[in-house]
Amino acid sequence: MRINWKDNTLFKFLIVGVFNTLVGCGTMFLLYNLAHCSYWVSSAANYIVGGIVSFFLNKYFTFENKKWEWAQVWKFALNVAVCYLLGYGLAKPLVMRLLEGQAVRVQENIAMLVGMCLYTGLNYLGQRFFAFRGKRSV
């Protein structure tokens, strides 16, 4: 894998991510802390809501992929699901172990933040090299 330093997809991906974070993360923490939904329901809602917005913004803005293919939709959905399960599946037991003795709400809030970070890195790689792989089309 060769790095193209003139490629600005990571920068665009992060801009889209800020917007998605405001919407999705807000949804997640409101559901968990105010609606008292579970860790998994709250974090999943983040990626259902943010995933829809993310698909269109990253497809057309970040990766400038104008061609419509159902295969991209399925690849994107698969990528989001795998990254979600890996990111949050790894974060929760890790944080629970590191913050043993803390209140469960503290542990799970921290685990959601760690899961978001893991998810973001994995998701960029998955979108760039799997879901929207290939040459940009206009």
Side-chain angles (χ1 to χ4, degrees):
M1 177 169 52
R2 190 168 168 231
I3 297 174
N4 177 358
W5 295 107
K6 293 180 184 179
D7 182 1
N8 62 357
T9 59
L10 180 59
F11 180 71
K12 288 180 174 182
F13 184 83
L14 294 174
I15 290 172
V16 169
V18 168
F19 181 73
N20 282 340
T21 298
L22 294 174
V23 174
C25 190
T27 299
M28 177 174 66
F29 286 115
L30 287 172
L31 285 174
Y32 185 78
N33 292 299
L34 296 180
H36 305 289
C37 293
S38 73
Y39 172 87
W40 291 107
V41 168
S42 301
S43 62
N46 180 357
Y47 294 99
I48 291 168
V49 171
I52 294 167
V53 174
S54 176
F55 175 81
F56 290 102
L57 289 177
N58 282 315
K59 176 177 176 48
Y60 295 110
F61 173 68
T62 303
F63 300 108
E64 300 175 16
N65 188 298
K66 309 296 186 211
K67 186 176 179 184
W68 177 259
E69 296 174 343
W70 280 106
Q72 286 180 334
V73 174
W74 294 112
K75 285 179 176 181
F76 180 87
L78 177 62
N79 178 63
V80 167
V82 168
C83 293
Y84 166 73
L85 291 171
L86 282 173
Y88 284 82
L90 293 171
K92 187 171 182 179
L94 175 68
V95 171
M96 299 296 264
R97 186 171 179 99
L98 290 174
L99 297 180
E100 199 172 319
Q102 296 294 317
V104 172
R105 286 194 102 46
V106 170
Q107 291 173 327
E108 289 185 339
N109 273 287
I110 301 294
M112 287 188 287
L113 287 171
V114 171
M116 280 176 24
C117 294
L118 291 171
Y119 171 87
T120 299
L122 294 169
N123 188 34
Y124 172 74
L125 294 171
Q127 285 190 43
R128 176 152 185 191
F129 298 110
F130 176 65
F132 300 122
R133 188 176 123 201
K135 294 185 178 182
R136 297 179 185 178
S137 58
V138 180

